[in-house]
Amino acid sequence: MQTRRLGRTGPEVSAIGLGAMGMSDMYGPADRAESLATIDAAVEAGVTLIDTGDFYGMGHNEMLIGEALRRHDRDKLVLSVKFGAQRGPDGMWIGYDTRPSAVKTALAYTLKRLDVDHIDIYRPARLDPNVPIEDTVGAIADMVQAGYVRHIGLSEVGSETIRRAAAVHPIVDLQIEYSLISRGIEDGILGTLRELGIGVTAYGVLARGLIGGHMTAPGGGRDIRGFSPRFQGEALTTNLALTEALRSAAAGMGLTPAQAAIAWVAAQGDDIVPLVGARRRDRLAEALGAMERPLSADALAALERAVPKGAAVGDRYPTAMMGTLDSERG
């Protein structure tokens, strides 16, 4: 497994990370035994970066990972945790809380659920409009000083917020959606990160399965894709046509659409680590195959011709959620 460093001051991690959200939440039912087996397979394959959030399944995801950790050397792994998103008993989103006291309380619960004595990268899930980012980062910095956190990250914030946060404490990475069909980071944020020496952990590299080559329509129930503009009506039809164009281009490279999409993100810079949301071993194996050989400049250009920047129809989140993304303000 190749490795990459997260920013100038961050840890060295596997060149691809495992995003565990889908094992507990957001994409409909998951198989617990298969989820645990997938975490095991990822670690055994050399994946060291595991990403979660305390609101994924309202603690379920952390407990699941904590169970898997008992079979592995925790000190060889890098645990990345998001906090601050608030949900009600019905699972609906009700806001954010990143006050200093909330930071420390959330961290205490996370340490208990994961059954570890520290978190490698701790980050607010979104910018809390009621709390200055300096206060939130300052509280995490207190936890770094106390030994409960090793590094500080950010998630879905724009350039101004990144600069303000970095003035308080070194930031190792920004977690943000980045894929062939979600390239907003290129319009300013990526330049800011590189100026400041901050890495990227890219989620949504398959656009929630849209360009992974295995999907025809979103599931029902608690599958968040059922509420996403990109998965609705004519937008879905148009976007799945992009997937077929990607499939054709990828086939000429000996890759599946998912592998091509992951490899494209990984090729955008050594400071970028794709997170794959595999919740089955076969999907994990497919994703890992994306890292077996680098794409040539011609191959990258072919993928971008197949899926041109801005070609996707529909926002990446529902309108109300788009309004909460500081990253959308540049």
Side-chain angles (χ1 to χ4, degrees), residues 6 37 40 80-81 91 116 124 128 132 136 160 165 172 179 200 202 207 212 233 249 270 302:
L6 291 180
D40 290 342
S80 167
V81 180
V116 297
D128 183 341
T136 302
E160 179 184 352
V172 299
S179 71
V200 176
D270 290 341

Side-chain angles (χ1 to χ4, degrees), residues 7 16 27 47 53-54 62 87 103 118 128 152 159 170 172 174 209 211 255 275 277-278 285 292 316 325:
I16 189 170
Y27 295 122
V47 173
D54 62 10
E62 290 179 322
R87 301 172 70 181
V103 169
H118 72 277
D128 183 341
I152 301 178
S159 291
V172 299
L174 172 70
I211 57 174
L255 300 172
L275 295 173
E292 291 179 356
R316 58 196 181 100
L325 295 177

Side-chain angles (χ1 to χ4, degrees), residues 110-132:
T110 283
L111 292 169
K112 181 67 70 173
R113 286 188 290 255
L114 284 168
D115 193 22
V116 297
D117 62 5
H118 72 277
I119 301 302
D120 298 285
I121 309 172
Y122 202 51
R123 70 183 81 243
R126 297 289 186 269
L127 179 67
D128 183 341
N130 300 312
V131 180

Side-chain angles (χ1 to χ4, degrees), residues 21-263:
M21 180 182 74
M23 297 177 180
S24 300
D25 214 351
M26 309 298 182
Y27 295 122
D31 183 288
R32 177 179 174 279
E34 182 62 23
S35 294
L36 288 168
T38 301
I39 296 172
D40 290 342
V43 175
E44 289 160 7
V47 173
T48 61
L49 177 62
I50 301 177
D51 182 79
T52 185
D54 62 10
F55 51 94
Y56 293 167
M58 302 311 295
H60 177 275
N61 204 237
E62 290 179 322
M63 291 188 287
L64 185 76
I65 293 170
E67 181 176 347
L69 289 179
R70 298 185 193 116
R71 299 192 288 272
H72 303 285
D73 186 346
R74 184 268 177 270
D75 292 333
K76 292 183 178 179
L77 301 175
V78 175
L79 300 179
S80 167
V81 180
K82 293 178 292 298
F83 71 92
Q86 304 293 289
R87 301 172 70 181
D90 59 357
M92 298 302 291
W93 305 97
I94 56 177
Y96 302 97
D97 188 356
T98 67
R99 294 170 300 154
S101 59
V103 169
K104 296 171 184 179
T105 299
L107 177 60
Y109 279 111
T110 283
L111 292 169
K112 181 67 70 173
R113 286 188 290 255
L114 284 168
D115 193 22
V116 297
D117 62 5
H118 72 277
I119 301 302
D120 298 285
I121 309 172
Y122 202 51
R123 70 183 81 243
R126 297 289 186 269
L127 179 67
D128 183 341
N130 300 312
V131 180
I133 192 64
E134 291 87 349
D135 292 358
T136 302
V137 172
I140 305 174
D142 289 343
M143 298 296 91
V144 173
Q145 185 67 30
Y148 297 116
V149 171
R150 295 289 187 264
H151 304 281
I152 301 178
L154 298 171
S155 177
E156 287 287 358
V157 293
S159 291
E160 179 184 352
T161 302
I162 294 166
R163 292 184 186 280
R164 288 169 54 193
V168 176
H169 189 278
I171 304 297
V172 299
D173 73 321
L174 172 70
Q175 191 171 118
I176 192 165
E177 186 168 354
Y178 190 31
S179 71
L180 274 164
I181 66 170
S182 294
R183 297 176 61 177
I185 186 177
E186 297 173 353
D187 297 334
I189 291 174
L190 187 56
T192 299
L193 296 172
R194 286 174 170 165
E195 174 192 338
L196 298 175
I198 298 171
V200 176
T201 44
Y203 76 89
V205 294
L206 301 182
R208 296 170 181 81
L210 186 59
I211 57 174
H214 299 292
M215 180 181 178
T216 55
R222 290 190 177 275
D223 190 328
I224 60 170
R225 293 171 293 190
F227 305 97
S228 171
R230 286 183 175 169
F231 292 83
Q232 305 299 316
E234 293 183 4
L236 178 61
T237 301
T238 299
N239 293 332
L240 287 177
L242 292 174
T243 304
E244 291 310 304
L246 176 61
R247 188 190 305 277
S248 295
M253 305 167 196
L255 300 172
T256 67
Q259 289 171 333
I262 295 165

